[in-house]
Amino acid sequence: MLELTNEQIGGWVASFLLPLFRVASLLMVMPIFGAQFVPNRVRLLLALAITLVLAPNLPPMPMIDALSLRSLLLIGEQVIIGVMLGFVFQLFFQIFIVTGQIISMQMGLGFASMMDPANGVSVPLLGQFLLNMTTLMFLAMNGHLVAFEILAESFTTLPVGGGLLVEHYREMAGKLTWVMAAGLLLALPAVTALLVVNIAFGVMTRAAPQLNIFAIGFPLTLVLGQIIFWLAQADILAHFQVLSVEALQLMRELAQAR
């Protein structure tokens, strides 16, 4: 008859389940893999596959009792680390959604929105366009593989049971404000050009009060805004490379993997 001791069960829990919680938390929060259109079973199977590959190469895990309070605390620690690493990528993708929303509001296209299948919310049309393009470029540059590499390194730099450095993450939290700043910088050229167009229409209205600015200005602003947005896409790859490197570097700093 097969008998298992508490030490054996604790060793199995520590060697496989604890890393699984960190990997699964990252996949649940990370864009693309954590999107609503990805079934939970697919994410779970992917987390199991990644954990099976990582488990033999991970540092020794602490011996714990599977039903003790310490095991619950360690599980919560792994969940927090995985969520924080995935949250950085969420912020990175939100930059382009914010950019599209700012440009849409400036050109009068803010009313045009569509359902985002990844998050289940309504987003501006230009924001969804930039999000889809960013997703394709992110996968083309193997950004998801870099994220998994950082995740694997985090088990060495942030070992299971090593505790969370509160001061370190409090310092890193101040760097997360770059999302709104990056979104404004991306939208600044288009917003400036559209501001000049609106000022020109204001001068025309002042010079010719009988001119129906709503019948003429809105369609022209919409057409010119689309042209300006199309011209602004010429530099989107350069901005994407800079922001993606910054996001990955921030993720490495959160994981203390340098």
Side-chain angles (χ1 to χ4, degrees):
M1 182 176 179
L2 179 62
E3 294 183 359
L4 298 177
T5 63
N6 291 335
E7 291 76 12
Q8 291 175 327
I9 297 176
W12 291 344
V13 170
S15 61
F16 183 78
L17 286 184
L18 290 179
L20 176 62
F21 278 105
R22 185 181 299 194
V23 175
S25 300
L26 174 68
L27 294 179
M28 291 297 176
V29 179
M30 183 179 175
I32 305 174
F33 300 101
Q36 291 188 359
F37 56 78
V38 179
N40 291 330
R41 292 182 181 179
V42 174
R43 281 180 279 186
L44 180 58
L45 291 176
L46 183 59
L48 289 173
I50 295 176
T51 306
L52 285 175
V53 174
L54 292 178
N57 303 314
L58 296 181
M61 298 293 169
M63 296 297 297
I64 60 173
D65 185 359
L67 301 178
S68 64
L69 177 61
R70 183 166 181 262
S71 64
L72 296 178
L73 294 178
L74 289 178
I75 290 173
E77 177 187 285
Q78 306 317 305
V79 172
I80 292 174
I81 295 176
V83 168
M84 285 191 305
L85 295 179
F87 184 66
V88 174
F89 281 103
Q90 280 287 0
L91 293 178
F92 169 67
F93 279 81
Q94 290 299 320
I95 290 175
F96 298 91
I97 297 179
V98 171
T99 300
Q101 186 172 6
I102 294 175
I103 298 176
S104 298
M105 295 299 294
Q106 188 68 22
M107 65 186 290
L109 201 62
F111 62 90
S113 60
M114 64 178 297
M115 184 61 64
D116 182 10
N119 301 313
V121 297
S122 181
V123 298
L125 185 61
L126 295 183
Q128 184 65 27
F129 172 78
L130 290 176
L131 178 61
N132 293 336
M133 185 171 57
T134 303
T135 301
L136 294 176
M137 290 190 295
F138 183 77
L139 294 175
M141 65 171 285
N142 293 328
H144 58 294
L145 299 182
V146 178
F148 294 149
E149 178 186 358
I150 297 174
L151 175 65
E153 293 177 356
S154 69
F155 285 99
T156 302
T157 57
L158 291 175
V160 176
L164 297 176
L165 299 179
V166 179
E167 294 298 331
H168 170 71
Y169 291 112
R170 185 179 302 173
E171 178 183 354
M172 294 302 303
K175 298 183 179 181
L176 299 180
T177 57
W178 61 280
V179 176
M180 184 59 68
L184 291 175
L185 289 177
L186 284 178
L188 188 59
V191 170
T192 304
L194 290 172
L195 180 61
V196 174
V197 173
N198 291 329
I199 292 176
F201 282 124
V203 174
M204 291 172 57
T205 305
R206 186 68 175 176
Q210 67 276 11
L211 185 64
N212 190 350
I213 193 62
F214 293 101
I216 300 176
F218 180 74
L220 285 179
T221 304
L222 190 60
V223 172
L224 291 175
Q226 292 178 350
I227 295 175
I228 293 170
F229 179 76
W230 174 63
L231 294 175
Q233 300 310 300
D235 295 331
I236 191 66
L237 181 58
H239 293 297
F240 173 80
Q241 291 177 343
V242 173
L243 292 175
S244 60
V245 170
E246 187 174 352
L248 292 173
Q249 182 61 34
L250 180 59
M251 187 177 179
R252 285 186 177 275
E253 292 180 2
L254 282 174
Q256 299 178 342
R258 294 179 173 83

